Amino acid sequence: MLVSIYRYNSEKDNVPYMEDVNVDIPEGKDLMVLDVLHLLKAEDSSVTYRRSCREGVCGSDGLNMNGKNGLACITPLSEVVKKDKLVLRPLPGLPVIRDLVVDMSMFYKQYEKIKPFLVNDTPPPAIERLQSPEEREKLDGLYECILCACCSTACPSFWWNPDKFIGPSGLLQAYRFLADSRDTSTAERLADLDDPFSVFRCRGIMNCVSVCPKGLNPTKAIGHIRGMLMQRST
Amino acid sequence: MGSLRTLNYDAIVIGGGGAGMRAALQLTESGVKTACITKVFPTRSHTVSAQGGITCAIASADPNDDWRWHMYDTVKGSDYIGDQDAIEYMCSVGPQAVFELDHMGLPFSRTEEGRIYQRPFGGQSKGPDDPTQAARTCAAADRTGHALLHALYQGNMKGGTTFLNEWYAVDLVKNQKGSVVGVIAICIETGETVYVKAKATVMATGGAGRIYQSTTNALINTGDGMGMALRAGFPGQDMEMWQFHPTGIYGAGTLVTEGCRGEGGYLINSEGERFMERYAPNSKDLAGRDVVARSMVLEILEGRGCGPDKDHVMLKLDHLGEETLNAKLPGILELSRTFAHADPVKVPIPVVPTCHYMMGGIPTNVGGEAITRTADGQDQIVEGLYACGEAACVSVHGANRLGGNSLLDLVVFGRAAGLQIEKTIRDGLTHDDASDSDIETALGRLNRLNSSTSGEKSVEVKDELQKTMQLYFGVFREGESMQKGLKMLDEIGERLKNIHLEDKSLAFNTARIEALELDNLYETAVATAVSAEGRRESRGAHARNDFTERDDENWLKHSIYDPTTKELSKRDVNFSPKTVEAFPPKVRSY
Amino acid sequence: MVASVTSLGRNGLYDWLIQRVTAVILASYTVFLLGYLVLSPDLTFAQWSGLFGHTAMRIFSLLALLSIGAHAWVGLWTISTDYIKPAGIRVCFQAACGVVMFAYVVWGVEILWGL
C-alpha cells in the first residue's frame, strides 16, 4: 500500500512536503491507521505523531486521513484506504509543529473560554448533589467528548475565526454545563455566549457531526444553546 | 551545564493522570506553588481508559453499606499483604473523595433517588460474615475513568493549576544528602532541557503495562516514575505483583470492563459452559481478578479454549438485551465492534487475560512519602520524594487489586499526598541545593543518548523485552524458566547500553522520548523479574507452578527490590489499622 | 464574549434572529409576486401600477426593502469578518456595503412612494 505522509521538521525543511512510502501490510489483518504509523516509525524513527491509549478514548491521534478527520487508532484501513493509497495529513487549520503534530493551543483556549467546570453557588451537601436519572440523561452525548479536535478542525467557521468562534467541541462542552442540573451559572454562561461570534458563527455545515469519532452531535448542542439564548432574550 | 535553565517550584507533580491531577489540585488550592509536569495533555492520560467505576461505600445501592466491609474485601482481595492502615484510610476517606468528584462535576450515572449509581464488581461482599454480592462501584456508564479524568482537569482549570503540558521528566536530581530536589525535564515541543527545582517531587506517573507484549495499558504506560526512582537508587515494592485482567479483547488487548460481568455477563468456554461456576461456586464470574484470570488460562490449557487456535474464551453479554447494553455499557459495544469485530448485542466477545495493573511500585506511607530501607532494614522516608497512584505502592492492593479500587486509590492518595506536602512545606521543608555535579549525574543518561553515534534501534530492543516478559513472567510462573528469563533480561540490558538515537532534532522528537522510556520499561521489568523469581510462593496475582501454595510463614511480607544490588528483601505488612481490629489472614476463596 | 461594534445588533442572537425574520419576509414577498405574475397572464401596466398603488402593497414592499437591507448587511458583515482579515480593508468594505444599502433603501422608498 502506498502511504503519502505530510512531513515537516522546522530544523531541516523550509517547506512541508508529502513523502510517499510503500508499506507492506500483513495479509489477512485489518490494521488501524495507527498501526501503519507504527510500521512507518519502525523504519524511519523521525516520523512524528501523537498517540496514547490506542483505543479511541484519549483523543491524541486525530489526523486527516484521505481527506477526512478521524482518530488513527480506531480507523481501520478497510474503511479509509482508496485505490490502495492512504494520504495522511495533520488536522487542518492549526499550525503544524512537526509532521502530523499540530499546535492545539487555539483549540484548548476556546475550550477554556467556556469555563468548562461545574459552578454551583450553594454550599455542597455532605453527600453528592442529587440528580435524577432524567436530568443526568441530558448529559449523554455531551460529556463523552474527548477533545480530539477532529470536529473543530473540520469546521470552516473555525478555520476562518479560530480566535473568536468557540468551535463545535467547545460549544458541545458549553452545553454540557448549561444542561447540568447541578450547575447554577446558566445566566452568566449564556451572557458570555451572546456575541456574534462565539456561538453564531456556526452555519450548520455539520462537518463536525460527520467526523466526530465518538458519534456526538455538536450541531444539535449548538441548536440547544441558541434556543436557550432565545428563551432568555425574547 | 551553565546553560541549563532552572524553573523553581515548591512542589512538582510528575504525571497528569488521576492521581497527579488530584495531588496538583490539592496543592494549588492550598496555595503551594505547584506545577504539574505531564508528557501528554492531561486528558490523554491512561486514567481515561478506566471503564467500570470507582469502588466506595457511599451507601447508595445499599443504605446499610459500611466502609469496613469494603476494607475487608480489599484486605482479602490483596491476599493479606495489603497494608491495613492504608486500606483503612482509603476505604474510610473514600466517600468524601468521591463526593468531592461529584461536586467537581463528574457526571455519575444515577439511581431513581438521584444518588450515584453503584454496580456490583468482583470480590465485593457485605463483610466477613456475609458473602452476599454487594454493589459498591460508583459508575458513569462504562466511561468512569474518562469522566473522572475530565472532571479533574476541569477542577484544576477552575483552581488555576500550572501545567507543563507535553514535558517529559527524564531523571530525578538528588543533592549530596540524598534528598530529591527536582527533576531534569524536556519540553517536548521545543526540545529544551530544563532543571525543574522543587522542594517536593511527586511521582504520579502511573503504571508500566508496556513491559508486557499484551496489555490493556496505553502506549504511554512505560513506568517512567518507577524507572526514575530505581535509577536514583530507591527501592521498588511488590514488583512481582502484576494484575492480568480477565477480559482484554483477544488480539487487540483493549480492556473490557469487569462491569460487564457486574451487570450480569459471564464467561464461557468452547463447550459453551459457564466454567467459573466450577472455580468459584459462590462468586462465579465475580471472583477476584487473579482467580478468574487463572481459571481462564487453565480452561485454555486443558483444551477448552475457543477459536481455531483454542487460545481464548468468550464473554457473553447478549442475554442482557440491547437496551441494558446501550444504557450501561455503551463504550464496550463500541470497543468490541471496533476491535473484535463482534457485536455484543448478538455474539459473545473473544477475551483473554491481559496485563492490566502494577500492584507494586514506589513504597510510600499513607501520606505519599516515599520510603527507602536503611542498611539494617528499617524504613526511612526519602526527603523530597512522594508517590501516588499506580506508581506508588502504599500498599492498598497487596497481591491483587479489586476492580474499581484503582480510581479510588488515585483520588484518595493523590489528595493525601497533597495534604502531606502542604503540611511539610508549612513546617519549613528545605533542602541543600543540588551541585553542578548532582545535576550532571541526572543528565548522564540523556547526554549519552544525545551523543550516540551508532548502535541499535530502540524499537527492536523494546519488542524483545516485551516478548521476554510475556513468555517468562506471565500469569503462571516457574523458577527455572524465570531464571532463563532473567538471563535474557541481562542480555537485553547490554543491548540497551548500545541504543542509538538516529534523529537528534529538537522539536517534538518522539524518537528521543521513546528511547528514554525504554530505559524505564527495562528497569521496571528487571525489578519485576527479580521479585517474581525471589517470591517462592503463590499469592494473589503471583502464581508459581513450583510453589503452588501461599506461604504465610515466610511470605506474609512485602518484597523489596533494591536496584543497587538487584537483590530482594522483605518488609513487614501493616496489620495495625487505627479504628478497627485487623483482619487476620484466612484461606481466600470466592 | 467577543466584542464587535460593526455588527448590526452587536449581539449574535439579534443578528441571527434578524437574518431569519427578514428571510421569511423576503421569501413571502417573492412568493406573493411570483404568484401574482402567474395568476395574471395578461398583466397590463395599469394593473401592475394599481397593485403598487395599494397602501398595503406599499407597506409590504417597504418591509421587503428594509429586510433586504438588514439581511444583506448581516450577511455581508459576516462574510467580511470571515474572509477579510486586515482590519482597515474590512472596515472600508463594511462602510461601502453600508452606503450601498442605504442608497438602495432611499432610492426604493422614492420609487415606491413617488416622493
Side-chain angles (χ1 to χ4, degrees):
Chain A
M1 185 181 68
L2 182 69
V3 180
S4 183
I5 177 172
Y6 182 99
R7 301 298 309 264
Y8 176 65
N9 177 354
S10 61
E11 290 157 51
K12 291 192 188 128
D13 311 317
N14 291 325
V15 287
Y17 62 98
M18 299 301 291
E19 183 182 24
D20 288 349
V21 189
N22 270 306
V23 180
D24 291 327
I25 304 296
E27 287 286 321
K29 263 191 164 181
D30 192 11
L31 296 187
M32 300 291 174
V33 173
L34 182 63
D35 298 324
V36 175
L37 283 169
H38 290 335
L39 291 175
L40 286 171
K41 195 168 177 71
E43 289 304 311
D44 175 0
S45 65
S46 72
V47 173
T48 303
Y49 50 92
R50 290 190 177 101
R51 83 286 182 276
S52 172
C53 76
R54 61 84 174 87
E55 58 188 26
V57 291
C58 78
S60 297
D61 59 355
L63 293 184
N64 187 278
M65 299 165 285
N66 274 356
K68 190 171 176 186
N69 290 356
L71 297 178
C73 60
I74 52 168
T75 304
L77 294 181
S78 60
E79 205 174 87
V80 69
V81 172
K82 297 211 174 69
K83 292 181 189 157
D84 213 32
K85 186 173 178 186
L86 178 64
V87 182
L88 298 176
R89 291 173 174 276
L91 290 175
L94 293 176
V96 173
I97 298 173
R98 180 171 172 176
D99 295 351
L100 302 175
V101 174
V102 291
D103 178 357
M104 311 233 323
S105 41
M106 198 65 100
F107 173 78
Y108 294 137
K109 210 172 125 192
Q110 294 300 348
Y111 175 60
E112 282 165 33
K113 227 155 93 179
I114 60 107
K115 303 204 177 80
F117 40 78
L118 197 78
V119 177
N120 192 316
D121 308 328
T122 59
I127 58 165
E128 69 271 38
R129 292 184 192 276
L130 300 183
Q131 185 175 48
S132 71
E134 293 73 32
E135 287 168 331
R136 168 59 183 77
E137 213 182 296
K138 292 187 180 148
L139 308 184
D140 285 338
L142 305 171
Y143 83 96
E144 298 94 324
C145 171
I146 57 174
L147 301 179
C148 64
C150 285
C151 60
S152 292
T153 59
C155 172
S157 287
F158 189 76
W159 294 340
W160 307 145
N161 288 294
D163 53 337
K164 298 193 184 93
F165 175 48
I166 302 279
S169 166
L171 290 169
L172 187 82
Q173 290 307 301
Y175 185 61
R176 177 245 173 277
F177 288 98
L178 286 167
D180 196 324
S181 62
R182 298 169 296 173
D183 191 278
T184 58
S185 68
T186 307
E188 293 85 350
R189 290 181 189 282
L190 289 176
D192 280 347
L193 293 172
D194 207 5
D195 62 273
F197 283 95
S198 300
V199 176
F200 290 94
R201 269 311 142 113
C202 170
R203 316 234 71 94
I205 300 164
M206 292 180 83
N207 274 3
C208 53
V209 182
S210 96
V211 299
C212 177
K214 305 308 284 182
L216 309 178
N217 190 332
T219 308
K220 196 168 146 198
I222 294 168
H224 285 304
I225 298 177
R226 264 201 301 255
M228 289 178 89
L229 283 168
M230 189 94 99
Q231 216 157 29
R232 160 179 172 271
S233 314
T234 51
Chain B
M1 160 54 228
S3 64
L4 203 65
R5 187 156 68 99
T6 303
L7 293 174
N8 215 325
Y9 293 97
D10 286 336
I12 51 173
V13 180
I14 303 174
M21 284 210 283
R22 188 62 191 83
L25 180 62
Q26 194 66 41
L27 287 162
T28 303
E29 282 184 341
S30 58
V32 177
K33 191 186 173 198
T34 306
C36 181
I37 299 178
T38 166
K39 66 176 174 179
V40 291
F41 182 78
T43 64
R44 325 277 183 224
S45 307
H46 186 52
T47 305
V48 83
S49 295
Q51 298 170 350
I54 174 166
T55 303
C56 188
I58 60 159
S60 163
D62 171 6
N64 299 316
D65 201 8
D66 192 320
W67 64 263
R68 292 166 194 88
W69 301 347
H70 180 198
M71 176 179 172
Y72 166 72
D73 291 342
T74 305
V75 171
K76 178 184 170 188
S78 79
D79 222 347
Y80 298 95
I81 61 162
D83 288 314
Q84 298 205 8
D85 59 338
I87 298 175
E88 176 192 35
Y89 180 79
M90 178 176 81
C91 297
S92 60
V93 173
Q96 198 187 336
V98 169
F99 296 142
E100 281 169 4
L101 290 171
D102 167 75
H103 302 157
M104 224 177 274
L106 200 159
F108 282 112
S109 302
R110 298 287 163 162
T111 65
E112 284 306 320
E113 291 76 39
R115 297 211 56 196
I116 294 171
Y117 167 74
Q118 292 184 294
R119 62 161 54 111
F121 246 51
Q124 294 179 354
S125 74
K126 306 211 168 185
D129 308 318
D130 184 359
T132 312
Q133 174 73 46
R136 197 173 287 127
T137 301
C138 310
D142 58 356
R143 303 188 174 100
T144 317
H146 167 273
L148 184 144
L149 190 68
H150 281 251
L152 273 175
Y153 181 61
Q154 292 159 354
N156 272 283
M157 240 190 272
K158 191 178 179 186
T161 304
T162 304
F163 282 100
L164 299 177
N165 289 334
E166 296 187 326
W167 281 53
Y168 183 74
V170 180
D171 265 311
L172 291 170
V173 178
K174 283 202 300 184
N175 68 12
Q176 288 301 314
K177 287 187 177 153
S179 309
V180 173
V181 290
V183 289
I184 298 296
I186 301 175
C187 169
I188 299 176
E189 185 179 332
T190 62
E192 184 191 10
T193 305
V194 175
Y195 167 36
V196 189
K197 187 178 160 184
K199 292 177 187 165
T201 302
V202 187
M203 292 294 180
T205 50
R210 287 283 152 184
I211 64 171
Y212 288 96
Q213 197 175 24
S214 166
T215 173
T216 64
N217 282 196
L219 293 156
I220 57 170
N221 285 24
T222 52
D224 295 336
M226 200 66 237
M228 281 187 271
L230 292 170
R231 265 192 308 278
F234 302 123
Q237 177 172 284
D238 294 338
M239 290 302 295
E240 67 278 29
M241 298 302 179
W242 280 88
Q243 178 164 81
F244 285 78
H245 195 289
T247 52
I249 290 180
Y250 171 69
T254 36
L255 174 67
V256 175
T257 175
E258 186 169 317
C260 290
R261 284 169 285 139
E263 298 290 348
Y266 55 85
L267 296 163
I268 51 176
N269 60 21
S270 60
E271 292 160 13
E273 180 206 10
R274 184 176 181 179
F275 56 86
M276 281 312 298
E277 286 175 334
R278 273 188 280 122
Y279 294 95
N282 185 49
S283 304
K284 302 187 182 90
D285 296 83
L286 287 177
R289 284 180 179 171
D290 54 334
V291 176
V292 180
R294 270 196 297 277
S295 309
M296 291 166 72
V297 174
L298 288 174
E299 286 298 300
I300 293 167
L301 289 175
E302 284 166 18
R304 291 188 293 277
C306 305
D309 296 330
K310 293 181 167 296
D311 56 355
H312 58 276
V313 299
M314 292 288 189
L315 173 64
K316 188 171 148 62
L317 293 175
D318 52 303
H319 58 287
L320 299 177
E322 190 164 2
E323 201 179 325
T324 308
L325 292 175
N326 277 327
K328 300 281 170 60
L329 302 164
I332 294 306
L333 299 185
E334 246 179 71
L335 281 175
S336 176
R337 285 165 188 156
T338 308
F339 289 102
H341 304 292
D343 184 354
V345 173
K346 297 182 190 123
V347 293
I349 312 172
V351 289
V352 68
T354 307
C355 169
H356 183 56
Y357 188 85
M358 174 173 88
M359 269 81 71
I362 302 167
T364 72
N365 60 23
V366 170
E369 294 171 305
I371 290 167
T372 187
R373 305 280 279 173
T374 58
D376 56 345
Q378 298 298 310
D379 283 358
Q380 189 183 23
I381 286 172
V382 181
E383 282 211 24
L385 184 64
Y386 298 76
C388 55
E390 190 171 342
C393 182
V394 188
S395 152
V396 285
H397 309 306
N400 172 62
R401 173 173 75 74
L402 290 188
N405 266 356
S406 62
L407 291 183
L408 188 64
D409 173 5
L410 302 185
V411 289
V412 167
F413 290 105
R415 184 174 173 273
L419 289 168
Q420 179 67 43
I421 293 167
E422 182 201 350
K423 182 175 170 294
T424 313
I425 287 183
R426 221 181 319 111
D427 290 349
L429 174 70
T430 50
H431 303 296
D432 294 350
D433 278 344
S435 66
D436 283 1
S437 74
D438 294 335
I439 293 174
E440 208 51 48
T441 307
L443 277 168
R445 186 166 71 103
L446 182 62
N447 287 341
R448 193 210 68 75
L449 189 67
N450 285 341
S451 58
S452 69
T453 50
S454 67
E456 214 171 341
K457 280 184 175 182
S458 70
V459 59
E460 288 157 12
V461 183
K462 184 164 79 184
D463 285 350
E464 198 62 37
L465 174 69
Q466 292 170 333
K467 271 186 210 151
T468 306
M469 291 306 290
Q470 191 78 26
L471 204 58
Y472 299 103
F473 303 93
V475 176
F476 285 102
R477 298 160 174 181
E478 199 266 319
E480 229 169 274
S481 81
M482 283 196 284
Q483 298 277 2
K484 197 172 158 202
L486 274 164
K487 277 210 189 78
M488 294 177 73
L489 283 177
D490 279 342
E491 287 163 23
I492 291 170
E494 288 306 312
R495 290 169 65 186
L496 213 57
K497 292 177 188 157
N498 195 32
I499 292 290
H500 172 45
L501 179 68
E502 283 175 328
D503 173 17
K504 303 256 183 350
S505 53
L506 287 170
F508 225 102
N509 188 334
T510 51
R512 177 180 289 121
I513 304 298
E514 283 179 22
L516 292 168
E517 286 173 340
L518 178 57
D519 288 334
N520 297 326
L521 285 172
Y522 180 72
E523 297 285 352
T524 312
V526 171
T528 299
V530 171
S531 307
E533 200 275 331
R535 186 183 278 273
R536 303 214 163 114
E537 64 156 355
S538 287
R539 180 186 299 273
H542 179 62
R544 287 187 64 148
N545 292 332
D546 46 353
F547 298 93
T548 53
E549 297 299 315
R550 193 171 89 187
D551 177 3
D552 284 350
E553 205 172 307
N554 295 305
W555 280 106
L556 192 61
K557 301 277 184 193
H558 294 299
S559 70
I560 293 285
Y561 166 77
D562 180 348
T564 54
T565 58
K566 294 200 173 182
E567 277 170 8
L568 206 63
S569 59
K570 297 176 186 175
R571 178 171 172 245
D572 285 340
V573 173
N574 181 294
F575 279 94
S576 315
K578 292 199 177 76
T579 62
V580 291
E581 290 270 312
F583 296 106
K586 286 196 299 192
V587 175
R588 186 166 161 258
S589 63
Y590 284 101
Chain C
M1 187 65 146
V2 181
S4 107
V5 292
T6 50
S7 85
L8 188 63
R10 296 181 198 166
N11 165 300
L13 180 67
Y14 188 77
D15 282 7
W16 183 81
L17 208 57
I18 295 233
Q19 192 80 329
R20 264 107 203 122
V21 171
T22 54
V24 171
I25 293 168
L26 289 171
S28 17
Y29 191 73
T30 312
V31 169
F32 172 79
L33 274 192
L34 282 175
Y36 185 81
L37 289 173
V38 170
L39 293 177
S40 329
D42 308 313
L43 189 65
T44 63
F45 178 75
Q47 264 179 304
W48 184 246
S49 72
L51 172 69
F52 282 88
H54 280 293
T55 310
M57 188 59 196
R58 285 187 177 182
I59 292 174
F60 195 16
S61 300
L62 182 62
L63 197 60
L65 197 58
L66 292 173
S67 292
I68 285 194
H71 195 91
W73 174 255
V74 175
L76 287 167
W77 179 81
T78 305
I79 289 169
S80 73
T81 49
D82 270 353
Y83 299 108
I84 309 178
K85 290 301 168 190
I89 304 178
R90 188 168 62 237
V91 169
C92 291
F93 175 81
Q94 290 170 351
C97 288
V99 169
V100 170
M101 248 90 75
F102 180 75
Y104 272 122
V105 169
V106 172
W107 190 16
V109 169
E110 195 185 300
I111 294 168
L112 270 179
W113 299 84
L115 293 173

